[in-house]
């Protein structure tokens, strides 16, 4: 069946088209989630619980760096001073189900983005589709880069601090499984979303909501927001906050550059002789 012209489609036709794109995206996530569910041992022992072991690559690297500069740190400990427990009857099964779903979302992200793109792109002009040709690749790259940053940087820094923090020697840490999973999940997904900032700025500039001038004017405020955000999601030490803040600031600067390119291209199309 030939694809209908988007201009000839009614509102209900668009809703029907959107419904099928959402169905296909959901099926993609479910297939990926099923694979994650099957490979339970790898997902939990290697990925989810990986940052709870002092053999995790981030701890090993930070331990080497601390020895080079001659600083005592908890990154060189043999093991974490806590145990992980499951406190509810269906806790492990629920953790298995929901972790598989979130893993499916991460794995199938490019396919979900593709379904969204194939729904939106028919309504775009030919030159707009041409200029946005690398959207899927760039958006997926930024998302997975953010997920890896959250997993290898934010998660171990946060977990190490919280595991070694104590208000009294009389209290021992016995973390619930759902709490540990929540730290890994939120750190990875939040970072993945934050790393999409250049893509968001690109589209906001395209529709005229954001300009390079606005971004430069509020850069100081953005710096403060970034530092506050870094202080919230990382341990309260300067080194950890700087490690998290630097890539976000770089993304903001890249967003300004992207916004400037979009505005310049728009001016060239409006004044082709200039």
């Amino acid at each position: 069946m030939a694809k209908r012209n988007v201009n000839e489609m009614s509102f209900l036709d668009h809703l029907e088209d959107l419904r099928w794109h959402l169905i296909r995206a959901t099926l993609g996530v479910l297939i990926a989630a099923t694979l994650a569910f099957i490979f339970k041992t790898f997902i939990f022992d290697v990925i989810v619980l990986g940052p709870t072991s002092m053999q995790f690559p981030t701890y090993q690297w930070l331990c080497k760096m601390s020895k080079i500069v001659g600083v005592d740190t908890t990154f060189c400990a043999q093991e974490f001073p806590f145990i992980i427990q499951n406190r509810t009857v269906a806790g492990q099964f629920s953790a298995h189900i929901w972790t598989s779903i979130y893993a499916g979302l991460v794995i199938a992200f490019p396919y979900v983005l593709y379904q969204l793109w194939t729904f939106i792109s028919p309504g775009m002009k030919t030159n707009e589709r041409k200029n946005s040709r690398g959207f899927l690749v760039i958006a997926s790259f930024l998302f997975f880069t953010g997920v890896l940053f959250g997993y290898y940087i934010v998660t171990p820094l946060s977990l190490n601090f919280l595991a070694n923090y104590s208000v009294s020697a009389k209290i021992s840490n016995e973390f619930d499984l759902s709490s540990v999973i929540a730290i890994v999940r939120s750190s990875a997904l939040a970072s993945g979303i934050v790393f999409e900032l250049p893509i968001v700025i690109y589209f906001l500039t395209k529709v005229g909501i954001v300009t390079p001038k606005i971004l430069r004017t509020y850069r100081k405020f953005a710096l403060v927001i970034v530092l506050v955000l870094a202080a919230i999601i990382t341990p309260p030490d300067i080194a950890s906050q700087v490690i998290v803040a630097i890539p976000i600031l770089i993304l903001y600067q890249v967003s300004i550059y992207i916004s400037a390119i979009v505005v310049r291209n728009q001016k060239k199309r409006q004044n082709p002789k200039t």
Side-chain angles (χ1 to χ4, degrees), residues 104-221:
L105 283 170
V106 173
I107 296 170
F109 179 80
Y111 181 71
V112 173
L113 209 60
Y114 170 75
Q115 290 300 325
L116 176 64
W117 178 251
T118 52
F119 173 72
I120 296 175
S121 58
M124 301 174 66
K125 297 178 181 178
T126 303
N127 62 328
E128 290 177 334
R129 285 198 297 271
K130 182 179 179 181
N131 293 334
S132 305
R133 190 174 296 170
F135 165 74
L136 290 175
V137 175
I138 296 173
S140 298
F141 173 77
L142 288 174
F143 177 76
F144 286 122
T145 301
V147 169
L148 291 175
F149 177 79
Y151 180 71
Y152 282 103
I153 302 298
V154 179
T155 297
L157 288 177
S158 301
L159 195 57
N160 181 74
F161 169 75
L162 295 172
N164 289 282
Y165 185 82
S166 176
V167 295
S168 172
K170 297 181 179 180
I171 303 174
S172 60
N173 285 328
E174 298 178 359
F175 297 154
D176 191 73
L177 174 63
S178 61
S179 179
V180 175
I181 294 175
I183 290 180
V184 179
R185 180 185 65 236
S186 59
S187 299
L189 290 180
S191 297
I193 294 172
V194 168
F195 271 58
E196 294 291 334
L197 178 63
I199 300 295
V200 174
I201 294 299
Y202 171 82
F203 283 105
L204 291 179
T205 305
K206 291 282 288 184
V207 299
I209 298 177
V210 169
T211 65
K213 183 179 179 181
I214 292 176
L215 293 174
R216 293 191 183 99
T217 301
Y218 291 97
R219 180 158 37 195
K220 294 180 180 179
F221 297 100

Side-chain angles (χ1 to χ4, degrees), residues 78-100:
Q78 294 297 316
E79 60 182 16
F80 275 121
F82 69 85
I83 61 174
I84 301 175
Q85 295 188 12
N86 172 57
R87 301 176 185 274
T88 59
V89 175
Q92 294 198 51
F93 181 72
S94 297
H96 190 188
I97 293 292
W98 283 107
T99 301
S100 298

